[in-house]
Amino acid sequence: MERAKKRAGWRQLLAHMRLPLCMFAALAVLAAAGILLLRSTLLRNAREAATAFSRSCAAEEQGNLNVYETLLTFGTSALEKRLEDGESREEILAFLDMYFQRVDTVLGDGVVDPYVVLDGEILSAQPWEGDASYDYAAAPWYTQALAAGGQVAFTQVYTDAVYNRPVVTAAQSFEDGAGVMAFDILPEHLRFDTADLTEEDSFFLCDGSGTLIYQETGVELSREELQDYLTWLVGQIQSGALDEDPVIRDLNGQARGIYYTRMDNGWYCIVTVPYARILGGLRGLIWPLLLMFGVSFLVVTALALREQRLNRRARRADETVQVLGNTYYALYRVDYERETYEMIKGSDYVRDRIPPAGPYAALLRTAGEVVEAEAFRDFTESFSCENIRQLVRRRVRDFGGEFLRRFGEEYRWVSVRILFDASLAPEEVVLCFREVEGEKQRQLQERKLLEESLQLARQNEASKQAFFRSMSHDMRTPLNAILGSSELARRHLGEPGKLGAYLDRVDSSGRYLLGLINDILEMARMEHGQLHLEHRQFDLRACVEECVASFRVQAEREGKTLKEDFQAGTTSLLGDAFRIQQILNNLLSNAFKFTPAGGTITLSVRQLDGGDYAKYQFTVADTGIGMSPEFLERVFEPYARELRFSDRQASGTGLGMSITKSLVAQMDGEIHVESAPGQGSAFTVVLPLAAGQEAPAAPDRPERPPFSLKGLRLLLAEDNEINMEITTELLSAQGVQVTQAWDGAEAVERFQAAEPFSFDAVLMDMQMPRLDGCGAARAIRALNRPDAKSTPILAVTANAFAEDVSATAAAGMDAHISKPIDFDALARTLERLLPPV
């Protein structure tokens, strides 16, 4: 009897615990599923992050390869052109020496080793004793370059015959196959930003055969072991073995995730991440999870006992709210097999028209009444019972979209979703509606901004492409005139009249070309924020007159009328006179360019108000061809040109108006333009300028004689033979005693060998072999002699950017003269630096 009672008690206890045990089992299943889901998420995130990093490195290296290819193509084309022009061997060698130096300047010293195979001879920037006996015809870079038919070919990694180290060679053959130019790319100069990787991660760059090019790894292996490992790893990648399960065991037996990107040239960027690091945080969840199960079991048991006392409808409503929350204005449980609905939460519109439960067709029809007409058909088809069944069969747990719904008299965006969870009800889904008007409007606005940004980027790219095409034409035109006039001058050396005309053309074309280059440099300075404005006292009338004077001769020569109207009471001002002249010069040049013979250009200057800080209006008007309304809207954009109303090609870079607008903006001014086709144009600039102090009357002083270069002793450092010859001859013609030095080291030697104060000044080129200009200046300043610190050193260089000027000053130079040399500017600079005689 006692035993029977115990058995009955156990059966009763099991009956009471059946529901809690089932719920606990469900929780255990959900927890296991959660762990698996978390594990899958961690692996997916690691794969996405590592793959993104490998893509970034691949894109970075591909960009480097594109730079090598561009430089190589440029060098090959330039060399072929010189060969076609029949240049001598010495000229070819001089060009190659210059070109190899430029390659080092662009890429950095020693990043590549450039050389050329020409007429069976290897011409290299760094000659090797074995060049003469080296069988280049059998080398892979040479055979691949010939097979590429004029395209740039990249080799796989191989051991270099010169330095016995791994290299990759980029090579390109001439169009006629008569020669090959090549770059040896040294892997040790490669650098990647691996800050996103930990010490446990590894990064490899290798070629298509698995040969190691670059590595960042904490795995302690010899290079031979690492190479064998990488060769095997690339074989696994190429065989597709890692496509489904990208995990391997490394040589230390550690499981690692393998993520890679294959570059266009067949190279691989590979990232390996230890699984222990990816899933490390998951292990710490096990014990808390077990504790959670224990607590959950007690809670679930209590809830289960309470749940038995609740009615079924309340329980179903709680389950639905638990799944969906309170973010939806309408919730329905849909039995897609019986094709019925149950309203958990409904909108006012639907509650007034259908009961809380009923046929699903009635709910779909009623909801469709407020859906926009264009979306009605898609809505009824997508949320039909038949489509819901297909979604469930495909295990789609979340499905939906957005549409416009009518709320009273207006339409607002609504999100509708079908949510399926087999653990709640295997034949039911939850249909829910949520208003997303604010979110949708933000998305639409963001999309519009992205589209506008993309359109602007495309317009800018198109403008720059047009600029480069035009710049190529505009730079070749004066170069053609210079070269052609030089050739004609040689043929008429005995005819002074013709010779003078040809030299005038050379001078005019050279100055035009210099103007183009100055515009490009000026724009580059502005884009990098390197433009600085002076704040000095100047006379506005003299400033304007100095600018206008240069155009009077042009007006007379071209048969045009130049008028000037100056109305300003206060002319002693504070500001940047040079930049004001630059603005006026750009506007006047533009007016002259588009005004035909017989036309009129007018410059008017007016003071708009008084006081210590007045506004001045500058207007440049012309009777030229004018501008179309379409071009008027983008006249100040960089690279923009108007060609519609003229049968000639516009000259210049298309940067003048953009530079002018930028200058005006930096001076806190305003600029606007009025123009119409055939009616001319008028540019108006308004600048605020502070009043300066009126200069006191100067007492009578004896007039100082003009400064002369005659008798000066100058040390000239220049490695270019032509520049050395021209500069020496022009200086000698003015009575200067010139001592030549062909590089920076020789300049230091000649200065040191001369008696103290033998040289009045040093003219120093910047880029020279053995020792550059800055290095030579530092060496001279460091000499232990009385004139080392005081002798003026002038940088004479084609490097005209602000950072170049700063570099010369830091090296101890006193002034900076840009090439081509303006000898008037040189004389003024020497007059300022040298003590008065």
Side-chain angles (χ1 to χ4, degrees):
M1 177 66 73
E2 190 68 20
R3 186 177 296 175
K5 288 183 178 180
K6 289 183 179 181
R7 286 199 298 268
W10 279 109
R11 285 195 298 269
Q12 193 174 36
L13 178 61
L14 290 173
H16 284 295
M17 293 295 295
R18 184 176 301 159
L19 181 59
L21 286 175
C22 291
M23 296 182 67
F24 181 78
L27 284 175
V29 171
L30 289 175
I35 292 175
L36 293 176
L37 179 60
L38 179 58
R39 181 180 186 275
S40 175
T41 300
L42 290 174
L43 292 176
R44 183 177 67 252
N45 291 343
R47 181 172 190 170
E48 291 175 354
T51 301
F53 175 80
S54 70
R55 288 174 181 167
S56 174
C57 292
E60 180 181 352
E61 185 55 21
Q62 187 63 52
N64 292 335
L65 295 181
N66 290 342
V67 172
Y68 301 149
E69 183 174 348
T70 300
L71 290 175
L72 192 59
T73 301
F74 170 78
T76 303
S77 300
L79 184 55
E80 284 183 302
K81 180 63 171 60
R82 290 174 178 271
L83 291 171
E84 290 174 2
D85 292 342
E87 290 190 0
S88 66
R89 174 183 174 84
E90 289 74 17
E91 291 174 324
I92 294 297
L93 292 177
F95 164 73
L96 289 176
D97 183 61
M98 178 275 292
Y99 172 69
F100 292 158
Q101 291 183 34
R102 293 298 182 266
V103 169
D104 277 348
T105 300
V106 173
L107 301 178
D109 290 340
V111 174
V112 300
D113 183 13
Y115 49 93
V116 175
V117 175
L118 186 63
D119 296 331
E121 181 183 2
I122 297 179
L123 305 176
S124 173
Q126 301 177 1
W128 173 49
E129 294 180 358
D131 282 347
S133 60
Y134 177 62
D135 185 11
Y136 61 83
W141 56 267
Y142 187 85
T143 57
Q144 287 182 232
L146 294 181
Q151 299 297 317
V152 176
F154 287 88
T155 68
Q156 302 287 19
V157 179
Y158 67 96
T159 301
D160 175 52
V162 179
Y163 301 105
N164 194 27
R165 59 185 175 184
V167 298
V168 174
T169 299
Q172 184 180 28
S173 68
F174 297 168
E175 290 183 359
D176 59 0
V180 171
M181 179 175 286
F183 290 171
D184 281 351
I185 304 168
L186 308 179
E188 59 263 32
H189 291 288
L190 297 178
R191 293 293 183 271
F192 294 92
D193 183 7
T194 57
D196 293 337
L197 301 181
T198 68
E199 294 180 356
E200 301 171 327
D201 302 335
S202 296
F203 169 72
F204 305 102
L205 174 66
C206 63
D207 64 18
S209 64
T211 303
L212 178 63
I213 300 175
Y214 178 86
Q215 62 170 340
E216 286 281 347
T217 178
V219 179
E220 296 183 359
L221 298 173
S222 68
R223 185 174 182 86
E224 290 74 20
E225 292 175 321
L226 195 59
Q227 181 58 68
D228 292 340
Y229 167 70
L230 199 57
T231 301
W232 171 81
L233 185 58
V234 171
Q236 293 292 104
I237 292 174
Q238 293 175 343
S239 68
L242 301 180
D243 291 348
E244 295 297 327
D245 187 17
V247 60
I248 56 97
R249 293 278 177 181
D250 63 16
L251 297 180
N252 296 328
Q254 187 180 32
R256 284 181 171 268
I258 306 299
Y259 315 103
Y260 65 93
T261 297
R262 188 176 187 271
M263 297 172 55
D264 294 340
N265 65 344
W267 292 5
Y268 289 92
C269 289
I270 303 174
V271 178
T272 73
V273 183
Y275 260 39
R277 184 174 75 80
I278 299 174
L279 303 177
L282 190 61
R283 299 174 181 174
L285 295 177
I286 302 300
W287 286 108
L289 192 60
L290 292 176
L291 178 62
M292 183 192 70
F293 279 152
V295 175
S296 299
F297 178 77
L298 297 177
V299 173
V300 169
T301 301
L303 290 176
L305 294 175
R306 180 176 179 273
E307 188 73 15
Q308 291 176 350
R309 296 190 297 269
L310 299 177
N311 60 62
R312 182 175 179 274
R313 179 170 184 152
R315 185 173 65 253
R316 291 171 64 84
D318 289 343
E319 291 172 352
T320 305
V321 172
Q322 181 181 355
V323 173
L324 300 175
N326 295 317
T327 59
Y328 298 93
Y329 70 79
L331 298 170
Y332 305 91
R333 296 190 71 142
V334 178
D335 188 325
Y336 54 84
E337 293 297 341
R338 298 170 56 189
E339 298 191 3
T340 60
Y341 75 89
E342 179 184 349
M343 185 186 302
I344 306 301
K345 183 179 181 182
S347 66
D348 295 339
Y349 182 87
V350 174
R351 285 201 307 271
D352 292 342
R353 286 164 175 76
I354 59 174
Y360 178 67
L363 172 63
L364 199 62
R365 182 180 63 255
T366 304
E369 293 174 358
V370 290
V371 175
E372 62 170 333
E374 295 181 359
F376 176 77
R377 180 176 179 181
D378 288 341
F379 175 82
T380 54
E381 291 180 354
S382 299
F383 297 96
S384 64
C385 284
E386 178 58 33
N387 193 53
I388 293 175
R389 294 188 190 99
Q390 294 180 11
L391 294 172
V392 171
R393 281 195 294 268
R394 292 179 1 230
R395 311 299 294 174
V396 176
R397 298 180 178 274
D398 188 346
F399 172 81
E402 297 171 347
F403 64 93
L404 283 171
R405 181 197 188 277
R406 179 164 48 84
F407 289 87
E409 299 299 325
E410 66 174 347
Y411 281 89
R412 297 198 294 269
W413 285 98
V414 166
S415 173
V416 56
R417 314 297 304 178
I418 288 178
L419 305 178
F420 170 68
D421 191 336
S423 65
L424 295 180
E427 296 180 352
E428 291 187 354
V429 296
V430 176
L431 179 65
C432 47
F433 296 83
R434 180 169 66 94
E435 185 178 340
V436 291
E437 176 67 19
E439 299 175 16
K440 189 65 177 180
Q441 291 300 332
R442 284 193 297 272
Q443 292 175 4
L444 293 174
Q445 185 177 9
E446 291 173 357
R447 180 175 179 179
K448 181 179 179 182
L449 290 174
L450 288 174
E451 291 176 347
E452 291 175 350
S453 298
L454 179 60
Q455 181 65 23
L456 180 60
R458 288 173 175 168
Q459 291 175 354
N460 288 339
E461 180 64 22
S463 297
K464 287 190 176 183
Q465 291 298 328
F467 159 69
F468 284 120
R469 289 193 297 269
S470 299
M471 185 181 68
S472 175
H473 169 270
D474 290 337
M475 297 187 80
R476 288 176 183 273
T477 297
L479 282 173
N480 182 65
I482 291 170
L483 296 174
S485 298
S486 299
E487 176 63 25
L488 291 172
R490 289 193 195 95
R491 299 178 182 179
H492 299 84
L493 294 176
E495 302 177 61
K498 291 185 177 181
L499 183 61
Y502 294 142
L503 291 177
D504 287 341
R505 291 182 193 173
V506 171
D507 181 73
S508 174
S509 299
R511 294 182 183 279
Y512 174 76
L513 185 59
L514 180 60
L516 291 177
I517 296 172
N518 286 336
D519 275 353
I520 297 169
L521 294 177
E522 188 79 358
M523 197 65 187
R525 292 190 189 99
M526 290 181 176
E527 289 180 350
H528 290 83
Q530 296 173 341
L531 185 68
H532 301 286
L533 297 175
E534 298 287 345
H535 192 68
R536 298 180 180 177
Q537 184 161 324
F538 71 99
D539 184 78
L540 180 61
R541 181 182 292 275
C543 171
V544 173
E545 180 59 31
E546 182 179 350
C547 179
V548 173
S550 62
F551 287 95
R552 289 199 176 100
V553 177
Q554 181 179 351
E556 183 177 353
R557 182 176 65 248
E558 297 178 358
K560 302 173 185 177
T561 301
L562 176 60
K563 296 181 178 180
E564 181 184 358
D565 181 16
F566 190 95
Q567 298 181 25
T570 303
T571 61
S572 180
L573 305 172
L574 292 176
D576 195 326
F578 173 75
R579 295 302 178 184
I580 293 175
Q581 287 183 337
Q582 187 176 2
I583 291 171
L584 296 179
N585 184 73
N586 285 345
L587 296 178
L588 287 169
S589 296
N590 204 59
F592 270 86
K593 185 187 303 181
F594 294 104
T595 300
T600 301
I601 297 95
T602 304
L603 168 63
S604 62
V605 181
R606 287 180 172 79
Q607 183 175 348
L608 300 182
D609 49 25
D612 294 336
Y613 208 75
K615 291 184 177 180
Y616 291 79
Q617 176 180 288
F618 305 83
T619 302
V620 175
D622 63 68
T623 59
I625 62 176
M627 290 177 280
S628 64
E630 296 81 10
F631 179 73
L632 200 60
E633 297 178 357
R634 56 190 188 90
V635 64
F636 295 113
E637 294 179 5
Y639 324 117
R641 299 185 179 197
E642 168 71 292
L643 299 175
R644 176 175 298 181
F645 298 102
S646 176
D647 59 356
R648 60 174 178 163
Q649 292 291 319
S651 60
T653 58
L655 297 176
M657 290 300 100
S658 178
I659 292 173
T660 300
K661 183 175 177 62
S662 180
L663 288 172
V664 171
Q666 293 191 53
M667 298 173 73
D668 296 326
E670 302 174 2
I671 183 171
H672 65 272
V673 57
E674 297 177 357
S675 182
Q679 300 181 21
S681 304
F683 287 84
T684 301
V685 175
V686 178
L687 298 176
L689 296 170
Q693 297 180 355
E694 294 294 336
D700 292 336
R701 296 179 182 176
E703 184 176 352
R704 183 177 179 181
F707 182 78
S708 172
L709 298 177
K710 185 176 182 180
L712 292 182
R713 297 159 299 174
L714 301 182
L715 173 59
L716 175 61
E718 171 64 66
D719 66 316
N720 184 277
E721 184 177 352
I722 296 176
N723 288 343
M724 175 68 86
E725 179 183 355
I726 293 174
T727 306
T728 300
E729 187 168 341
L730 290 174
L731 288 173
S732 299
Q734 299 186 52
V736 178
Q737 298 179 24
V738 178
T739 299
Q740 297 180 339
W742 292 93
D743 56 47
E746 185 178 351
V748 177
E749 293 169 359
R750 289 190 175 275
F751 188 92
Q752 189 172 15
E755 292 294 325
F757 302 102
S758 294
F759 297 112
D760 295 302
V762 179
L763 306 184
M764 187 75 72
D765 188 22
M766 291 289 285
Q767 295 182 353
M768 295 183 291
R770 293 208 297 165
L771 186 64
D772 63 15
C774 288
R778 292 190 184 95
I780 290 175
R781 294 302 189 208
L783 293 176
N784 185 21
R785 49 187 287 159
D787 58 346
K789 300 290 191 297
S790 60
T791 300
I793 302 178
L794 284 68
V796 182
T797 175
N799 298 342
F801 285 104
E803 59 267 25
D804 301 314
V805 178
S806 300
T808 60
M813 300 192 196
D814 300 282
H816 186 283
I817 300 294
S818 297
K819 289 182 180 178
I821 298 176
D822 183 339
F823 285 90
D824 291 335
L826 175 61
R828 290 194 300 271
T829 304
L830 289 173
E831 181 181 17
R832 175 172 58 85
L833 295 176
L834 294 176
V837 179

